[in-house]
Structures are given as structure tokens and as C-alpha cells.
């Protein structure tokens, strides 16, 4: 598939042939949803935990005698029935991560890229480089190109000046091509790939 290349300010800069195996698929929402769920589950810290009866520091002495009180039989003040006792079946620290095959993850990324093409949300730049590393200048450039909410993927390392200028823009994310992921692609309105990023992605899935 042939795709137009633009410069940062939105002016035409040629065209590029994109791989149909990566950008021309019929998007599958189920694959994309599985991948997003896997990413979000993996990054959960899972540090929430409550005190069980074994974690409560109280005497182990029997509270009162077994018989003759007219009340229920109790042997410990640490149990959940009493104020200050441990919590029954409370949350414990654990990992929320689950398995997802590597091939499914790779396929989900291809479908996310294809979904952006289908939705008209893909933009390809010749390069992401600026001479003036000023956020105000870059914001004006993006406004001219109608780019407000976007994920920008550059080559192995984004240009330092461009990354510095873009880091204070609240709805603009800049990542190297190694950091491309389904969640960030889908959460932004536009996906901007540089020519170097496209070449690196096609080489990765070749």
C-alpha cells in the first residue's frame, strides 16, 4: 500500500510503500483488547494487603472459660469476629500478570497499526527533528498540522531536541521504536511514525 509522507508542519514530502502484512489487515478488536488487558494487568503493582489473624499482635490466651458464660465459645481475640481482629479473606500482595503468547502479542501490534490506518489516524513523517527546542514553537507547528493528541514513534533514539520540546505537551507522547505498544497506540487519536520507525518495524516483523 502506498502512503503519503509529510514533514512536521504537514507539508507533503513524498510517499512510501507500506507492508500489507502490517498495515493492511482487517483489524480484530478481540486481539487488541486481549493485548491491552495483558499490558494493564502486567503493570499493576499488586501491593494491596490486609492483616489476617496470623498478623495481628495480641495475646494467645483464651479469652474466657469454655463453659458457663452463656456466650459463644471463643479461643482467640485475633479472629475476624472481634474489633481489632484480622480480616477474613482480605487481599494479599500478588502479581496480576497473566500469560499471553508472543505470537499473539506480535499479531495484536499489527492489528493495532492496521486499525489506525483504517481509522485515518496514521501519519508518517520524513523525520522528527527540530532546530529550535522550544515547546511553544513545536505546539504552534502541531496546531498548523492539526496534531493535538498523538503518539510519535521515532527510530532507535528520538532526536534529543525534539524530545525536549515535546515532553511538556500534555497529549503528545514520544517513544523510540523499541517502545511501541498496543495500549499507547490505541489511547491516542493519531499515530505518527517516522520513516526510520516504519523501516525498523517492517524489519522487525519480516
Amino acid at each position: 500500500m502506498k502512503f503519503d509522507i509529510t514533514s512536521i508542519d504537514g507539508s507533503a514530502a513524498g510517499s512510501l510503500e507500506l507492508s500489507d502484512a502490517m498495515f493492511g489487515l482487517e483489524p480484530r478488536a478481540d486481539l487488541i483488547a486481549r493485548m491491552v488487558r495483558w499490558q494493564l494487568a502486567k503493570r499493576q503493582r499488586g501491593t494491596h494487603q490486609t492483616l489476617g489473624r496470623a498478623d495481628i499482635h495480641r495475646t494467645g490466651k483464651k479469652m474466657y472459660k469454655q463453659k458457663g458464660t452463656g456466650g459463644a465459645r471463643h479461643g482467640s481475640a485475633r479472629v475476624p469476629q472481634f474489633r481489632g481482629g484480622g480480616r477474613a479473606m482480605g487481599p494479599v500482595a500478588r502479581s496480576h500478570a497473566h500469560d499471553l503468547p508472543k505470537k499473539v502479542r506480535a499479531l495484536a501490534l499489527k492489528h493495532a497499526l492496521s486499525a489506525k490506518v483504517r481509522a485515518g489516524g496514521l501519519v508518517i513523517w520524513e523525520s522528527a527533528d527540530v532546530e529550535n527546542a522550544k515547546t511553544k514553537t513545536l505546539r504552534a507547528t502541531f496546531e498548523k498540522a492539526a496534531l493535538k493528541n498523538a503518539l510519535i514513534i521515532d527510530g532507535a533514539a528520538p532526536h534529543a531536541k525534539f524530545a525536549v520540546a515535546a515532553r511538556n505537551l500534555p497529549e503528545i507522547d514520544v517513544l523510540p521504536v523499541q517502545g511501541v505498544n498496543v495500549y499507547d497506540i490505541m489511547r491516542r487519536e493519531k499515530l505518527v511514525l517516522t520513516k526510520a520507525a516504519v523501516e525498523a518495524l517492517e524489519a522487525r516483523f519480516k
Side-chain angles (χ1 to χ4, degrees):
M1 135 190 355
K2 200 170 230 182
F3 202 89
D4 292 333
I5 301 175
T6 63
S7 59
I8 291 180
D9 61 4
S11 58
S15 62
L16 181 69
E17 192 70 29
L18 296 180
S19 169
D20 288 334
M22 284 183 58
F23 296 93
L25 300 175
E26 182 70 33
R28 281 183 54 184
D30 61 317
L31 278 179
I32 295 171
R34 282 179 68 186
M35 185 61 186
V36 170
R37 180 174 173 267
W38 179 82
Q39 281 187 248
L40 295 181
K42 191 176 181 182
R43 77 180 195 179
Q44 275 188 269
R45 297 186 65 184
T47 54
H48 51 326
Q49 183 165 339
T50 56
L51 297 177
R53 62 181 293 179
D55 304 313
I56 300 297
H57 297 290
R58 278 187 176 179
T59 178
K61 183 181 177 182
K62 188 169 173 66
M63 297 178 64
Y64 46 77
K65 62 182 184 177
Q66 179 84 347
K67 295 182 178 293
T69 64
R73 298 167 289 183
H74 287 291
S76 172
R78 302 189 186 110
V79 294
Q81 288 92 323
F82 296 112
R83 186 185 183 112
R87 181 172 172 181
M89 295 179 288
V92 294
R94 67 186 181 90
S95 170
H96 292 267
H98 57 271
D99 291 334
L100 190 65
K102 190 174 181 180
K103 288 183 179 180
V104 175
R105 284 180 267 155
L107 189 59
L109 181 57
K110 293 178 183 178
H111 279 266
L113 294 171
S114 297
K116 280 298 175 187
V117 175
R118 283 293 181 96
L122 179 66
V123 178
I124 298 181
W125 285 349
E126 181 68 30
S127 65
D129 193 11
V130 290
E131 293 182 5
N132 188 9
K134 295 288 185 182
T135 301
K136 182 178 180 181
T137 305
L138 194 60
R139 184 187 288 115
T141 303
F142 286 170
E143 286 175 358
K144 183 180 176 183
L147 202 67
K148 294 181 180 179
N149 186 309
L151 170 66
I152 300 169
I153 305 292
D154 204 350
H159 289 277
K161 288 184 178 180
F162 180 85
V164 167
R167 67 186 175 189
N168 284 331
L169 297 175
E171 294 182 329
I172 300 293
D173 297 327
V174 180
L175 291 174
V177 71
Q178 298 92 330
V180 62
N181 64 89
V182 173
Y183 175 68
D184 282 328
I185 288 173
M186 302 310 296
R187 70 189 286 261
R188 293 300 180 196
E189 182 183 341
K190 296 281 187 180
L191 171 63
V192 180
L193 299 175
T194 63
K195 195 174 177 182
V198 172
E199 290 171 356
L201 283 170
E202 290 186 348
R204 173 177 166 183
F205 292 112
K206 196 168 183 181

